[in-house]
Amino acid sequence: MISRFAPSTTGEAHPGTLLAALLVWLDARSRGGRVVLRLEDLDVTRTKAAWAEQMIDACRWLGLSWDEVVVQSDRRAAHEAALDALAAAGRLYPCTCSRAARAGGRRAPDGSWAYDNTCRGRALPAGGWRSATEAIRVRLDDDRIDLVDAGGLDLSQTPARDMGDPIVRRRDHVIAYQLAVVVDDRDAAITDVIRGRDIAPSTATQVMLQRLLGMATPRYRHHFLLLEPGAGKLAKLHGSIPFLQLRARYDGAALCGILAHAAGLVSEPLPCHPGELVAAFDWQRVPTLDRVARFDEHGLSITL
Ligand SMILES: [Zn+2]
C-alpha cells in the first residue's frame, strides 16, 4: 500500500494542510504502508519555493516523516509524454472559450460552470499541442463512471457531461492539475488516494483520464475540511491561520494534539506525537462534517 500527501504550495502551510497530512500519514502507517510527500508546484503564477520549503518543515515539526519527496515541477517529461499519448489517440483539442462565456450555463458538481465541449471539433495546430497558443482540452468518453469512495461518498458522474472535457494544458503552458495528478499517482505506484472533500467532484474526471491512459485506478477516500469565514459564507481554510503564527504559539506535539482531537482520534487535545496515534487510528472515529478553525488570543479552536 502506497499513499501520498500532495499539497499545492500556493500559500503558507496552515491547520487544514497539516490536518490533511496527519490523516494521510496515519492511514498509511496504521496499515503498514509507504507514504510519499508530493509538492504540487506546477502553477508558476501562484506557487513559491519558500512555501514548498515551509511545507516540508511544517510536516517535520508536526512529527511526520515521508518515505519519498516528489517535486511535481521535476516531472515535466512524464506529463508531456502523457499529452503525447493523448494526442496520438486523437484526444486533444484547443479551446479558446472563456470562463465568462460559460457563466449562467450549467452548474458542475464542484460549483463551477460546466464546459459544454464546444470546441471538440477543432484540430490541434500543425505543430501539435506544443505549438498551440490556446488552452488544450482532452475529449473524454461520454460514459458514466460509477464510483463510491472508501468513506461511502458517492462520486458517480458522467464527467464529459457533468464537468465537461478538462483542460490538460493551460493557455500559459502550465500542465493542468487533472493530468498531472493521474500521471504522478501512476508513476509513484500510488494505491490509495486520501484527500480533502473539496477535490471529490474531480475524481470521476481523473478516473476517466486513467482509463484513456491505460492506468489502474487507486482507492479513494475524501475527508472533512477545516473552514474559515469567507465572503459571506464559510470557505475552505486557506489564508487566515498561517503556519508561522501556529509555530509561534505551539510546539509540534501541542498542535498534533489539537488536530488529533478535531479528527476524533483522542478524547482531549493534549500534546502527542503522531506515532502514538497509529495503533488506534480508525476512520470510523473521524468525523464527516467539516469544522471551522479560528485563531485568536486564546489559541486555535476547531469547532463544528
Ligand atoms: Zn472551447
Side-chain angles (χ1 to χ4, degrees):
M1 179 257 172
I2 307 178
S3 181
R4 89 296 199 275
F5 170 54
S8 61
T9 53
T10 53
E12 279 206 48
H14 58 70
T17 49
L18 293 176
L19 172 72
L22 180 65
L23 289 172
V24 169
W25 188 91
L26 286 172
D27 178 75
R29 296 303 188 224
S30 68
R31 298 160 65 191
R34 290 167 50 80
V35 60
V36 174
L37 170 63
R38 185 170 72 226
L39 300 164
E40 301 210 333
D41 63 343
L42 293 187
D43 189 347
V44 290
T45 64
R46 296 173 62 219
T47 195
K48 278 190 192 169
W51 289 331
E53 287 297 320
Q54 189 195 62
M55 189 66 71
I56 294 172
D57 288 346
C59 290
R60 189 186 301 128
W61 173 85
L62 192 66
L64 305 177
S65 60
W66 312 104
D67 295 299
E68 189 183 351
V69 176
V70 174
V71 179
Q72 200 165 38
S73 56
D74 291 344
R75 298 196 24 79
R76 179 89 193 182
H79 302 151
E80 293 196 356
L83 285 174
D84 286 337
L86 292 167
R91 292 279 178 179
L92 300 186
Y93 64 88
C95 169
T96 50
C97 302
S98 68
R99 196 170 294 170
R102 297 203 297 284
R106 281 180 305 111
R107 283 285 185 191
D110 65 355
S112 68
W113 300 109
Y115 177 63
D116 270 332
N117 307 330
T118 315
C119 298
R120 265 192 181 183
R122 296 184 57 204
L124 289 174
W129 65 264
R130 286 178 178 79
S131 65
T133 54
E134 305 101 322
I136 296 171
R137 293 184 186 268
V138 58
R139 177 174 53 82
L140 299 181
D141 286 339
D142 293 325
D143 302 337
R144 175 180 164 86
I145 300 282
D146 286 303
L147 185 68
V148 177
D149 84 357
L153 195 61
D154 189 349
L155 306 173
S156 301
Q157 277 182 24
T158 303
R161 187 195 65 213
D162 295 340
M163 304 286 282
D165 292 340
I167 289 175
V168 284
R169 198 215 65 181
R170 298 184 343 192
R171 194 170 49 141
D172 61 5
H173 289 221
V174 169
I175 302 292
Y177 166 75
Q178 305 286 17
L179 182 81
V181 69
V182 299
V183 173
D184 293 347
D185 284 345
R186 188 271 314 270
D187 288 352
I190 299 299
T191 61
D192 290 70
V193 173
I194 313 292
R195 57 189 182 184
R197 203 182 291 139
D198 53 320
I199 310 291
S202 288
T203 308
T205 294
Q206 291 167 20
V207 170
M208 185 61 83
L209 282 173
Q210 289 155 0
R211 291 185 185 178
L212 297 185
L213 289 162
M215 300 173 177
T217 290
R219 284 181 293 274
Y220 288 96
R221 181 187 288 273
H222 296 84
H223 58 71
F224 76 102
L225 302 175
L226 297 188
L227 306 179
E228 66 186 1
K233 59 173 187 172
L234 293 170
K236 186 189 178 190
L237 187 66
H238 189 67
S240 68
I241 312 175
F243 174 66
L244 293 180
Q245 283 185 28
L246 288 174
R247 196 172 61 183
R249 171 119 192 173
Y250 297 108
D251 63 20
L255 188 72
C256 182
I258 294 170
L259 295 176
H261 183 249
L265 303 176
V266 291
S267 55
E268 297 293 335
L270 301 175
C272 64
H273 186 276
E276 298 163 27
L277 304 169
V278 170
F281 180 74
D282 183 352
W283 283 107
Q284 297 290 338
R285 300 167 66 184
V286 178
T288 54
L289 290 177
D290 293 342
R291 302 195 159 204
V292 181
R294 290 187 184 82
F295 188 74
D296 58 22
E297 67 273 19
H298 305 296
L300 176 66
S301 68
I302 298 174
T303 54
L304 279 172

